[in-house]
Amino acid sequence: MLASGTGSILKAVLDAGVPVSVVLADRPCRALELASLAGVETVLLDRRDFGGFGAGFDRARYTEALTGELAGRDLDLVAMAGFGTVLTEQVHEVFPGRILNTHPSLLPAFPGWHAVADALAAGVRTTGCTVHAATPEVDAGPVLAREEVPVYPDDTEETLHERIKQVERRLYPDTILRVLGELEPVEPTRA
Ligand code: GAR
């Protein structure tokens, strides 16, 4: 799994019994600590070693390094949970259709990094979360599951995001397990 933040979605995925072989983060974060506590291998592929968070960030070289880390493992799926780096097409070529993401809005509404604030600013009375297969285009790609969440008049970004995350903590593990169950079994090679 790929994460950057508090790791509450990651923890829910682990608690649901999804077999996670590695957690990779782009910065030191609570998600890495949670993974370590759960006995899962962790990789810190720090953006600061690739030009940091500004204009100098070498996205292509970062993606190449990340893809190399993942391709060396026997992974069925790559699941992003609040991963804060947009990756280039290269990773999608190596894991076509096998990268999942959870997003805190009802896509295609409110893509991007400020989905919860944008929903509040738009004054919608219902938002939600979307689990989708990731593509090179950010927050696009085939929708696998969506669930509505109400917006209350006194909501702040924090209260609304937490209500959405409560749903993501159920919907994302359930969807990952469903997708894993639907994957084509790998044919054993004959000698
Ligand atoms: C989740 O709400 C996830 O949908 C969002 O980051 C949060 C991670 O929560 N991802 C995005 O906004 C990606 N565009 P966590 O750090 O508590 O697991």
Side-chain angles (χ1 to χ4, degrees), residues 17 31 40 52 71 137-138 151 154 185:
V40 177
E137 192 186 342
V138 175
V151 181
D154 59 350

Side-chain angles (χ1 to χ4, degrees), residues 19-105:
V20 176
S21 52
V22 63
V23 171
L24 183 149
D26 60 358
R27 68 201 77 186
C29 58
R30 178 75 182 139
L32 279 183
E33 295 169 15
L34 287 172
S36 289
L37 286 171
V40 177
E41 184 190 355
T42 58
V43 174
L44 173 59
L45 190 62
D46 200 322
R47 273 181 73 134
R48 290 171 298 189
D49 297 330
F50 296 80
F53 292 83
F57 176 55
D58 190 340
R59 197 174 305 283
R61 200 164 65 80
Y62 186 87
T63 304
E64 188 177 347
L66 180 143
T67 305
E69 276 291 342
L70 300 182
R73 295 175 162 83
D74 186 21
L75 302 178
D76 292 318
L77 287 177
V78 177
M80 298 193 281
F83 188 61
T85 296
V86 175
L87 301 169
T88 70
E89 203 164 343
Q90 184 188 5
V91 73
H92 298 278
E93 287 164 1
V94 175
F95 296 96
R98 300 223 166 188
I99 304 177
L100 306 189
N101 185 40
T102 179
H103 182 80
S105 76

Side-chain angles (χ1 to χ4, degrees), residues 3-11 31 80-84 101-105 111-116 129-130 138-139 161-162 164-165 168-169:
S4 304
T6 63
S8 75
I9 310 294
L10 163 74
K11 184 169 185 312
M80 298 193 281
F83 188 61
N101 185 40
T102 179
H103 182 80
S105 76
W113 296 111
H114 307 290
V116 180
C129 57
T130 305
V138 175
D139 297 331
H161 200 170
E162 181 53 30
I164 295 169
K165 285 196 201 183
E168 292 186 278
R169 292 181 194 120

